[in-house]
Amino acid sequence: MATEVKVPQLGESITEATVGEWLKQVGDPVEQDEPIASLETDKVSVDVPSPVAGVLEAQVAAVGDTVEVGALLAKVGAGEGTATVADEPRPAGDEAKDGGPDATTENSDVIDQDKADEQALSSDLTLSPAVRRAVLEHGVDPSKITGTGKDGRITKDDVLAAAKAKDAAPEPAAKAAAASGGQASAPTSIKVAGERREERVKMTRLRQTIAKRLKEAQDTAALLTTFNDVDMSAVMEARSKYKDHFAKKHGIRLGFMSFFVKAVALAAKDVPAVNARIEDDEIVYHDYLDVSVAVSAPKGLVVPVIRSADQMSFAEIEQSIADYGKRAKEGTLGMEDMAGGTFTISNGGVFGSLLSTPIINPPQSAVLGMHRIEERPIAVNGEVVIKPMMYLALSYDHRLIDGREAVTFLVRIKEALEDPTRLLIDL
Protein backbone atom coordinates (compact mmCIF):
# COMPACT_ATOMS: atom_id res chain seq x y z
CA MET A 1 0.00 0.00 0.00
CA ALA A 2 1.31 3.41 -0.93
CA THR A 3 2.27 5.92 1.75
CA GLU A 4 0.76 9.38 1.38
CA VAL A 5 3.07 12.40 1.44
CA LYS A 6 1.28 15.53 2.62
CA VAL A 7 2.22 19.21 2.63
CA PRO A 8 3.99 19.82 5.97
CA GLN A 9 3.50 22.70 8.38
CA LEU A 10 5.24 25.71 6.82
CA GLY A 11 5.35 28.17 9.68
CA GLU A 12 3.11 30.42 11.67
CA SER A 13 0.28 32.02 9.65
CA ILE A 14 1.35 30.28 6.41
CA THR A 15 -1.43 28.06 5.09
CA GLU A 16 -0.39 27.38 1.50
CA ALA A 17 2.59 27.12 -0.84
CA THR A 18 3.41 26.67 -4.52
CA VAL A 19 4.99 23.53 -5.95
CA GLY A 20 8.31 24.90 -7.19
CA GLU A 21 10.03 21.76 -8.44
CA TRP A 22 9.74 17.99 -8.31
CA LEU A 23 13.10 16.63 -7.19
CA LYS A 24 11.98 13.06 -7.87
CA GLN A 25 9.92 11.81 -10.79
CA VAL A 26 7.33 9.04 -10.93
CA GLY A 27 9.08 5.68 -10.85
CA ASP A 28 12.23 7.02 -9.17
CA PRO A 29 13.49 5.20 -6.08
CA VAL A 30 13.57 7.34 -2.93
CA GLU A 31 15.22 6.93 0.45
CA GLN A 32 13.57 7.73 3.75
CA ASP A 33 13.83 11.48 4.52
CA GLU A 34 15.11 12.17 0.99
CA PRO A 35 13.54 15.35 -0.51
CA ILE A 36 11.09 14.60 -3.30
CA ALA A 37 9.69 18.08 -3.93
CA SER A 38 10.45 21.73 -3.26
CA LEU A 39 7.67 24.09 -2.14
CA GLU A 40 7.85 27.87 -2.41
CA THR A 41 6.33 29.92 0.38
CA ASP A 42 6.15 33.67 0.81
CA LYS A 43 9.68 33.76 2.23
CA VAL A 44 11.62 30.54 1.67
CA SER A 45 11.73 27.30 -0.28
CA VAL A 46 10.92 24.18 1.73
CA ASP A 47 11.95 20.66 0.76
CA VAL A 48 9.39 17.92 1.38
CA PRO A 49 11.04 14.64 2.46
CA SER A 50 9.69 11.16 1.87
CA PRO A 51 8.50 9.56 5.14
CA VAL A 52 9.48 6.08 3.89
CA ALA A 53 11.88 4.41 1.46
CA GLY A 54 10.37 3.09 -1.75
CA VAL A 55 9.35 4.28 -5.21
CA LEU A 56 7.53 7.50 -6.08
CA GLU A 57 4.21 6.26 -7.42
CA ALA A 58 2.27 9.46 -8.01
CA GLN A 59 2.58 13.22 -8.11
CA VAL A 60 -0.78 14.63 -7.08
CA ALA A 61 0.13 18.27 -7.81
CA ALA A 62 2.00 19.76 -10.75
CA VAL A 63 4.72 22.40 -10.75
CA GLY A 64 3.11 25.81 -10.25
CA ASP A 65 0.06 24.46 -8.39
CA THR A 66 -0.94 26.02 -5.09
CA VAL A 67 -1.26 23.46 -2.29
CA GLU A 68 -2.57 23.89 1.25
CA VAL A 69 -0.94 22.63 4.43
CA GLY A 70 -2.04 19.03 5.03
CA ALA A 71 -3.08 18.43 1.41
CA LEU A 72 -2.00 15.27 -0.39
CA LEU A 73 1.15 15.95 -2.41
CA ALA A 74 2.45 12.56 -3.55
CA LYS A 75 2.36 8.81 -2.94
CA VAL A 76 5.34 6.59 -2.25
CA GLY A 77 5.05 2.81 -2.74
CA ALA A 78 7.04 0.16 -0.92
CA GLY A 79 8.46 -1.23 -4.17
CA GLU A 80 8.17 -1.21 -7.93
CA GLY A 81 4.63 -0.99 -9.23
CA THR A 82 2.38 0.78 -11.67
CA ALA A 83 3.16 4.46 -11.52
CA THR A 84 0.35 6.95 -11.97
CA VAL A 85 0.40 10.69 -12.35
CA ALA A 86 -1.98 13.31 -13.65
CA ASP A 87 -1.48 14.11 -17.33
CA GLU A 88 0.83 11.09 -17.71
CA PRO A 89 2.50 10.83 -21.15
CA ARG A 90 0.84 8.29 -23.45
CA PRO A 91 2.79 5.05 -23.94
CA ALA A 92 4.65 4.52 -27.19
CA GLY A 93 2.45 2.88 -29.82
CA ASP A 94 -0.86 4.46 -28.76
CA GLU A 95 -1.01 6.42 -32.02
CA ALA A 96 -1.02 3.20 -34.02
CA LYS A 97 -3.77 1.71 -31.85
CA ASP A 98 -5.92 4.80 -32.26
CA GLY A 99 -5.59 4.70 -36.03
CA GLY A 100 -2.94 7.43 -36.06
CA PRO A 101 0.04 7.47 -38.42
CA ASP A 102 2.45 4.60 -38.02
CA ALA A 103 6.06 5.38 -37.10
CA THR A 104 7.26 3.92 -40.40
CA THR A 105 5.33 6.55 -42.35
CA GLU A 106 6.56 9.55 -40.34
CA ASN A 107 8.94 11.90 -42.11
CA SER A 108 12.43 12.39 -40.69
CA ASP A 109 11.69 15.87 -39.28
CA VAL A 110 8.89 14.57 -37.08
CA ILE A 111 10.99 11.59 -35.98
CA ASP A 112 13.84 13.89 -34.98
CA GLN A 113 11.44 16.08 -33.00
CA ASP A 114 9.97 13.04 -31.26
CA LYS A 115 13.46 11.92 -30.30
CA ALA A 116 14.24 15.35 -28.87
CA ASP A 117 10.99 15.31 -26.88
CA GLU A 118 11.71 11.84 -25.53
CA GLN A 119 15.23 12.86 -24.56
CA ALA A 120 13.94 15.94 -22.75
CA LEU A 121 11.28 13.97 -20.90
CA SER A 122 13.79 11.30 -19.94
CA SER A 123 15.94 13.98 -18.31
CA ASP A 124 13.29 15.03 -15.80
CA LEU A 125 15.54 13.90 -12.97
CA THR A 126 17.94 16.78 -13.56
CA LEU A 127 15.92 19.34 -15.52
CA SER A 128 13.84 22.06 -13.89
CA PRO A 129 10.57 23.06 -15.64
CA ALA A 130 12.16 26.13 -17.23
CA VAL A 131 15.13 24.13 -18.51
CA ARG A 132 12.89 21.33 -19.78
CA ARG A 133 10.81 23.88 -21.70
CA ALA A 134 13.96 25.35 -23.26
CA VAL A 135 15.17 21.86 -24.29
CA LEU A 136 11.88 21.14 -26.06
CA GLU A 137 11.76 24.56 -27.67
CA HIS A 138 15.28 24.39 -29.14
CA GLY A 139 15.33 20.65 -29.86
CA VAL A 140 18.69 19.96 -28.22
CA ASP A 141 19.86 16.73 -26.61
CA PRO A 142 20.24 17.32 -22.84
CA SER A 143 22.39 14.22 -22.46
CA LYS A 144 25.09 15.97 -24.50
CA ILE A 145 25.03 19.18 -22.42
CA THR A 146 27.47 19.68 -19.55
CA GLY A 147 25.61 21.29 -16.65
CA THR A 148 27.16 24.27 -14.85
CA GLY A 149 24.57 24.52 -12.10
CA LYS A 150 24.57 23.15 -8.58
CA ASP A 151 25.52 19.45 -8.42
CA GLY A 152 26.12 19.50 -12.20
CA ARG A 153 22.52 20.37 -13.05
CA ILE A 154 21.77 21.80 -16.47
CA THR A 155 20.72 25.46 -16.43
CA LYS A 156 18.73 27.39 -18.97
CA ASP A 157 21.89 29.23 -20.04
CA ASP A 158 23.51 25.85 -20.78
CA VAL A 159 20.60 24.95 -23.07
CA LEU A 160 20.70 28.31 -24.87
CA ALA A 161 24.46 27.97 -25.38
CA ALA A 162 23.99 24.48 -26.84
CA ALA A 163 21.20 25.73 -29.13
CA LYS A 164 23.37 28.63 -30.29
CA ALA A 165 26.22 26.25 -31.11
CA LYS A 166 23.80 24.03 -32.98
CA ASP A 167 22.44 26.94 -35.05
CA ALA A 168 25.96 28.13 -35.84
CA ALA A 169 26.87 24.83 -37.52
CA PRO A 170 26.20 25.02 -41.31
CA GLU A 171 23.62 22.54 -42.54
CA PRO A 172 24.83 19.88 -45.05
CA ALA A 173 22.14 20.75 -47.59
CA ALA A 174 23.15 24.38 -47.63
CA LYS A 175 26.82 23.48 -48.10
CA ALA A 176 25.94 21.07 -50.94
CA ALA A 177 23.84 23.69 -52.71
CA ALA A 178 26.61 26.23 -52.43
CA ALA A 179 29.17 23.76 -53.80
CA SER A 180 27.05 22.77 -56.81
CA GLY A 181 25.92 26.27 -57.60
CA GLY A 182 22.34 24.98 -57.77
CA GLN A 183 19.32 27.16 -57.21
CA ALA A 184 16.87 26.59 -54.43
CA SER A 185 13.39 25.54 -55.45
CA ALA A 186 11.84 27.66 -52.70
CA PRO A 187 12.61 31.11 -51.28
CA THR A 188 15.49 31.06 -48.77
CA SER A 189 14.52 31.76 -45.17
CA ILE A 190 16.62 34.69 -43.99
CA LYS A 191 17.32 34.96 -40.28
CA VAL A 192 17.32 38.60 -39.30
CA ALA A 193 20.30 39.63 -37.18
CA GLY A 194 19.36 40.67 -33.69
CA GLU A 195 16.17 38.64 -33.60
CA ARG A 196 14.09 39.65 -30.60
CA ARG A 197 12.43 37.14 -28.32
CA GLU A 198 10.04 37.33 -25.42
CA GLU A 199 9.66 34.84 -22.60
CA ARG A 200 6.81 34.84 -20.14
CA VAL A 201 7.66 33.26 -16.78
CA LYS A 202 5.32 33.19 -13.81
CA MET A 203 6.64 35.05 -10.78
CA THR A 204 7.71 32.84 -7.91
CA ARG A 205 5.76 33.17 -4.68
CA LEU A 206 8.84 34.71 -3.06
CA ARG A 207 9.13 37.36 -5.78
CA GLN A 208 5.39 38.11 -5.55
CA THR A 209 5.74 38.64 -1.80
CA ILE A 210 8.79 40.88 -2.22
CA ALA A 211 6.93 43.00 -4.78
CA LYS A 212 3.86 43.24 -2.57
CA ARG A 213 5.77 44.23 0.56
CA LEU A 214 7.95 46.81 -1.18
CA LYS A 215 4.91 48.47 -2.72
CA GLU A 216 3.13 48.29 0.62
CA ALA A 217 6.05 50.13 2.24
CA GLN A 218 5.89 52.90 -0.35
CA ASP A 219 2.12 53.23 -0.03
CA THR A 220 2.05 53.18 3.78
CA ALA A 221 5.19 54.84 5.12
CA ALA A 222 6.33 58.42 4.61
CA LEU A 223 9.70 57.42 3.20
CA LEU A 224 12.68 59.75 3.31
CA THR A 225 16.41 59.08 2.91
CA THR A 226 19.35 60.93 4.45
CA PHE A 227 22.97 60.41 3.44
CA ASN A 228 26.43 60.70 4.90
CA ASP A 229 29.88 59.41 4.07
CA VAL A 230 32.35 57.66 6.30
CA ASP A 231 36.12 57.32 6.21
CA MET A 232 36.75 53.58 6.45
CA SER A 233 40.49 53.91 7.16
CA ALA A 234 40.25 53.04 10.86
CA VAL A 235 37.99 50.01 10.32
CA MET A 236 40.17 48.72 7.49
CA GLU A 237 43.31 49.19 9.57
CA ALA A 238 41.82 47.36 12.58
CA ARG A 239 40.55 44.56 10.38
CA SER A 240 43.91 44.17 8.64
CA LYS A 241 45.79 44.19 11.94
CA TYR A 242 43.65 41.65 13.79
CA LYS A 243 42.03 39.48 11.09
CA ASP A 244 44.56 36.63 11.38
CA HIS A 245 44.36 36.51 15.19
CA PHE A 246 40.59 36.79 14.99
CA ALA A 247 40.29 33.88 12.55
CA LYS A 248 42.70 31.75 14.60
CA LYS A 249 40.81 32.33 17.84
CA HIS A 250 37.21 32.26 16.63
CA GLY A 251 37.43 30.19 13.45
CA ILE A 252 35.62 32.83 11.40
CA ARG A 253 36.69 35.68 9.13
CA LEU A 254 36.48 39.22 10.48
CA GLY A 255 34.35 41.22 8.05
CA PHE A 256 32.97 44.73 7.88
CA MET A 257 29.38 43.82 8.76
CA SER A 258 30.11 43.19 12.45
CA PHE A 259 31.48 46.75 12.77
CA PHE A 260 28.28 48.14 11.24
CA VAL A 261 26.01 46.01 13.44
CA LYS A 262 27.85 47.16 16.56
CA ALA A 263 27.73 50.77 15.36
CA VAL A 264 23.97 50.52 14.76
CA ALA A 265 23.49 49.06 18.24
CA LEU A 266 25.44 51.95 19.75
CA ALA A 267 23.58 54.61 17.75
CA ALA A 268 20.16 53.07 18.51
CA LYS A 269 20.71 53.74 22.23
CA ASP A 270 20.90 57.46 21.49
CA VAL A 271 18.05 57.44 18.94
CA PRO A 272 15.59 54.71 20.04
CA ALA A 273 12.93 55.80 17.51
CA VAL A 274 15.01 54.23 14.73
CA ASN A 275 14.55 50.85 16.43
CA ALA A 276 10.81 51.30 16.98
CA ARG A 277 7.65 50.70 14.94
CA ILE A 278 4.18 52.16 14.51
CA GLU A 279 1.27 49.92 15.48
CA ASP A 280 -2.15 51.49 14.94
CA ASP A 281 -1.98 54.78 16.85
CA GLU A 282 0.86 53.71 19.14
CA ILE A 283 4.66 53.67 18.95
CA VAL A 284 6.26 50.40 20.07
CA TYR A 285 9.82 50.78 21.39
CA HIS A 286 12.17 47.81 21.76
CA ASP A 287 14.80 47.36 24.45
CA TYR A 288 16.55 44.88 22.18
CA LEU A 289 17.99 45.07 18.67
CA ASP A 290 17.10 42.32 16.19
CA VAL A 291 18.94 43.16 12.97
CA SER A 292 17.59 41.88 9.65
CA VAL A 293 20.53 41.38 7.30
CA ALA A 294 19.65 41.42 3.61
CA VAL A 295 21.18 38.35 1.93
CA SER A 296 21.08 37.47 -1.76
CA ALA A 297 19.58 34.03 -2.45
CA PRO A 298 19.14 32.23 -5.79
CA LYS A 299 15.43 33.07 -5.92
CA GLY A 300 15.53 36.57 -4.49
CA LEU A 301 16.51 38.73 -1.54
CA VAL A 302 15.90 37.29 1.92
CA VAL A 303 16.39 38.95 5.31
CA PRO A 304 17.34 36.55 8.13
CA VAL A 305 17.45 38.08 11.60
CA ILE A 306 20.40 38.37 13.98
CA ARG A 307 18.58 38.35 17.31
CA SER A 308 19.74 40.45 20.27
CA ALA A 309 22.59 41.76 18.13
CA ASP A 310 23.27 44.47 20.69
CA GLN A 311 24.32 41.75 23.17
CA MET A 312 26.55 39.82 20.75
CA SER A 313 30.31 39.93 20.28
CA PHE A 314 32.02 40.60 16.96
CA ALA A 315 32.70 36.86 16.56
CA GLU A 316 29.09 35.89 17.28
CA ILE A 317 27.82 38.41 14.73
CA GLU A 318 30.24 37.23 12.04
CA GLN A 319 29.35 33.59 12.73
CA SER A 320 25.63 34.31 12.41
CA ILE A 321 26.09 36.21 9.16
CA ALA A 322 28.29 33.48 7.65
CA ASP A 323 25.79 30.80 8.63
CA TYR A 324 22.85 32.71 7.15
CA GLY A 325 24.74 33.43 3.92
CA LYS A 326 25.62 29.76 3.46
CA ARG A 327 22.08 28.57 4.18
CA ALA A 328 20.60 31.22 1.86
CA LYS A 329 22.66 29.88 -1.05
CA GLU A 330 21.69 26.31 -0.18
CA GLY A 331 18.02 27.25 0.16
CA THR A 332 17.81 25.85 3.71
CA LEU A 333 16.68 28.95 5.60
CA GLY A 334 13.56 28.38 7.67
CA MET A 335 10.62 30.65 8.38
CA GLU A 336 11.79 31.13 11.96
CA ASP A 337 15.10 32.57 10.67
CA MET A 338 13.32 35.54 9.10
CA ALA A 339 10.54 36.20 11.58
CA GLY A 340 10.66 39.50 13.41
CA GLY A 341 13.47 42.02 13.06
CA THR A 342 13.49 45.61 14.33
CA PHE A 343 16.05 47.18 11.98
CA THR A 344 17.59 46.22 8.61
CA ILE A 345 21.08 46.57 7.14
CA SER A 346 21.42 46.17 3.37
CA ASN A 347 24.87 45.90 1.80
CA GLY A 348 24.65 46.84 -1.86
CA GLY A 349 28.39 47.45 -1.87
CA VAL A 350 29.11 43.76 -2.43
CA PHE A 351 27.55 44.19 -5.89
CA GLY A 352 29.41 47.43 -6.60
CA SER A 353 26.68 49.93 -5.68
CA LEU A 354 27.99 53.46 -5.02
CA LEU A 355 24.76 54.99 -3.72
CA SER A 356 21.13 53.94 -3.28
CA THR A 357 17.91 54.71 -1.43
CA PRO A 358 16.88 51.43 0.27
CA ILE A 359 13.24 50.74 1.13
CA ILE A 360 12.25 49.86 4.69
CA ASN A 361 11.02 46.39 5.63
CA PRO A 362 7.58 46.88 7.30
CA PRO A 363 6.73 47.08 10.13
CA GLN A 364 10.28 48.33 10.74
CA SER A 365 10.84 52.06 10.53
CA ALA A 366 14.38 52.33 9.16
CA VAL A 367 17.00 50.62 7.02
CA LEU A 368 20.71 51.36 6.68
CA GLY A 369 22.25 51.04 3.23
CA MET A 370 25.96 50.24 2.92
CA HIS A 371 27.83 50.79 -0.34
CA ARG A 372 31.18 50.09 -1.94
CA ILE A 373 34.40 51.52 -0.50
CA GLU A 374 36.00 53.88 -2.99
CA GLU A 375 39.15 55.96 -2.72
CA ARG A 376 38.26 59.63 -3.07
CA PRO A 377 40.05 62.94 -2.50
CA ILE A 378 38.79 64.73 0.61
CA ALA A 379 39.97 67.73 2.62
CA VAL A 380 41.67 66.96 5.96
CA ASN A 381 43.07 69.85 8.02
CA GLY A 382 43.19 72.03 4.95
CA GLU A 383 44.94 69.46 2.77
CA VAL A 384 43.57 67.19 0.04
CA VAL A 385 44.22 63.52 0.82
CA ILE A 386 43.04 60.24 -0.63
CA LYS A 387 40.82 58.21 1.72
CA PRO A 388 38.77 55.00 1.38
CA MET A 389 35.27 56.41 1.62
CA MET A 390 31.83 54.81 1.76
CA TYR A 391 28.45 56.47 1.30
CA LEU A 392 25.84 55.56 3.92
CA ALA A 393 22.09 55.92 3.34
CA LEU A 394 19.40 55.80 6.01
CA SER A 395 15.85 55.43 4.71
CA TYR A 396 13.23 55.97 7.40
CA ASP A 397 9.54 56.43 8.09
CA HIS A 398 9.11 60.16 8.59
CA ARG A 399 5.84 59.56 10.46
CA LEU A 400 7.88 58.24 13.39
CA ILE A 401 11.42 59.53 12.90
CA ASP A 402 12.18 63.23 12.56
CA GLY A 403 14.92 64.49 10.28
CA ARG A 404 17.03 65.56 13.24
CA GLU A 405 16.86 62.07 14.73
CA ALA A 406 17.73 60.42 11.41
CA VAL A 407 20.74 62.66 10.87
CA THR A 408 21.90 62.19 14.47
CA PHE A 409 21.63 58.40 14.13
CA LEU A 410 23.71 58.40 10.94
CA VAL A 411 26.31 60.73 12.47
CA ARG A 412 26.67 58.39 15.48
CA ILE A 413 27.36 55.51 13.10
CA LYS A 414 29.91 57.60 11.21
CA GLU A 415 31.69 58.56 14.45
CA ALA A 416 31.82 54.95 15.66
CA LEU A 417 33.25 53.65 12.39
CA GLU A 418 35.85 56.40 12.07
CA ASP A 419 36.93 55.77 15.67
CA PRO A 420 36.17 52.09 16.49
CA THR A 421 37.34 52.59 20.07
CA ARG A 422 33.92 54.10 20.71
CA LEU A 423 32.44 50.62 20.13
CA LEU A 424 34.48 49.26 23.03
CA ILE A 425 33.85 52.02 25.56
CA ASP A 426 30.20 52.66 24.60
CA LEU A 427 30.70 56.27 23.66
Side-chain angles (χ1 to χ4, degrees):
M1 182 177 178
T3 300
E4 294 184 343
V5 182
K6 297 184 178 182
V7 178
Q9 291 294 326
L10 302 171
E12 185 178 356
S13 75
I14 296 181
T15 60
E16 63 181 23
T18 301
V19 179
E21 181 180 5
W22 280 103
L23 305 177
K24 290 289 184 178
Q25 302 303 316
V26 173
D28 289 348
V30 296
E31 299 294 334
Q32 185 174 358
D33 296 327
E34 183 179 11
I36 62 173
S38 176
L39 302 180
E40 295 178 356
T41 69
D42 291 347
K43 294 185 177 181
V44 296
S45 294
V46 179
D47 287 343
V48 180
S50 172
V52 296
V55 175
L56 184 62
E57 289 192 355
Q59 297 172 351
V60 178
V63 172
D65 286 353
T66 298
V67 291
E68 296 183 352
V69 172
L72 181 62
L73 185 65
K75 293 182 180 181
V76 176
E80 296 185 358
T82 302
T84 59
V85 63
D87 299 326
E88 186 177 32
R90 298 175 64 188
D94 275 5
E95 292 84 358
K97 294 177 183 178
D98 295 340
D102 186 78
T104 57
T105 62
E106 295 284 356
N107 61 57
S108 59
D109 291 339
V110 176
I111 293 175
D112 290 342
Q113 184 60 46
D114 287 345
K115 289 181 178 179
D117 292 349
E118 291 173 2
Q119 289 166 344
L121 292 174
S122 67
S123 301
D124 283 350
L125 183 61
T126 57
L127 301 186
S128 68
V131 173
R132 190 181 313 120
R133 183 169 59 250
V135 167
L136 294 173
E137 178 183 347
H138 295 284
V140 297
D141 183 356
S143 65
K144 296 180 180 179
I145 300 176
T146 301
T148 61
K150 182 180 178 182
D151 297 329
R153 290 189 178 185
I154 298 174
T155 66
K156 185 177 179 182
D157 290 338
D158 297 332
V159 176
L160 295 179
K164 185 177 181 180
K166 177 183 176 183
D167 293 338
E171 296 186 5
K175 290 194 294 184
S180 62
Q183 296 182 349
S185 59
T188 303
S189 176
I190 300 176
K191 185 175 182 180
V192 180
E195 181 180 358
R196 300 183 298 175
R197 293 179 178 270
E198 289 185 355
E199 181 180 7
R200 192 178 296 271
V201 179
K202 184 177 180 180
M203 293 175 68
T204 64
R205 182 176 290 269
L206 174 59
R207 176 54 58 184
Q208 292 179 47
T209 301
I210 291 173
K212 179 181 177 180
R213 289 178 62 81
L214 290 178
K215 187 58 181 174
E216 175 186 323
Q218 289 184 321
D219 292 342
T220 303
L223 291 178
L224 189 63
T225 304
T226 185
F227 303 94
N228 212 321
D229 60 359
V230 55
D231 178 2
M232 294 293 291
S233 299
V235 170
M236 294 175 68
E237 181 181 351
R239 181 173 177 267
S240 177
K241 183 177 181 179
Y242 296 112
K243 64 179 182 180
D244 292 337
H245 297 291
F246 188 88
K248 184 177 180 180
K249 180 176 181 179
H250 301 291
I252 189 68
R253 184 179 68 90
L254 177 61
F256 291 118
M257 186 62 80
S258 54
F259 286 92
F260 280 87
V261 172
K262 297 293 284 187
V264 166
L266 184 65
K269 293 181 180 179
D270 291 342
V271 189
V274 175
N275 191 41
R277 72 176 190 273
I278 293 178
E279 192 171 289
D280 298 327
D281 59 350
E282 298 178 331
I283 299 175
V284 180
Y285 292 94
H286 307 100
D287 65 353
Y288 55 88
L289 177 69
D290 287 351
V291 178
S292 301
V293 181
V295 176
S296 179
K299 296 184 179 180
L301 197 69
V302 293
V303 279
V305 180
I306 302 175
R307 305 191 188 283
S308 299
D310 54 323
Q311 303 297 321
M312 299 175 72
S313 66
F314 279 78
E316 291 172 331
I317 293 172
E318 291 293 351
Q319 187 63 60
S320 296
I321 294 172
D323 179 61
Y324 281 143
K326 178 182 178 182
R327 292 166 59 193
K329 292 180 180 178
E330 295 173 348
T332 58
L333 286 174
M335 298 299 302
E336 65 280 1
D337 296 320
M338 287 173 282
T342 61
F343 185 89
T344 294
I345 299 179
S346 178
N347 185 7
V350 296
F351 304 109
S353 172
L354 178 64
L355 193 62
S356 67
T357 55
I359 299 178
I360 64 173
N361 181 23
Q364 298 174 19
S365 297
V367 53
L368 176 69
M370 299 167 54
H371 302 89
R372 76 170 186 253
I373 299 173
E374 185 177 61
E375 288 191 342
R376 294 199 300 271
I378 62 171
V380 177
N381 298 325
E383 296 183 356
V384 177
V385 296
I386 304 298
K387 292 285 187 178
M389 304 297 294
M390 176 191 288
Y391 285 119
L392 299 180
L394 180 74
S395 291
Y396 58 97
D397 189 345
H398 210 349
R399 298 177 302 166
L400 171 60
I401 303 168
D402 294 332
R404 176 183 60 83
E405 293 176 308
V407 172
T408 300
F409 179 81
L410 209 50
V411 169
R412 291 290 181 270
I413 292 177
K414 174 183 171 70
E415 292 172 344
L417 294 174
E418 293 184 341
D419 183 8
T421 305
R422 289 173 174 267
L423 301 176
L424 301 178
I425 61 177
D426 194 16
L427 183 60

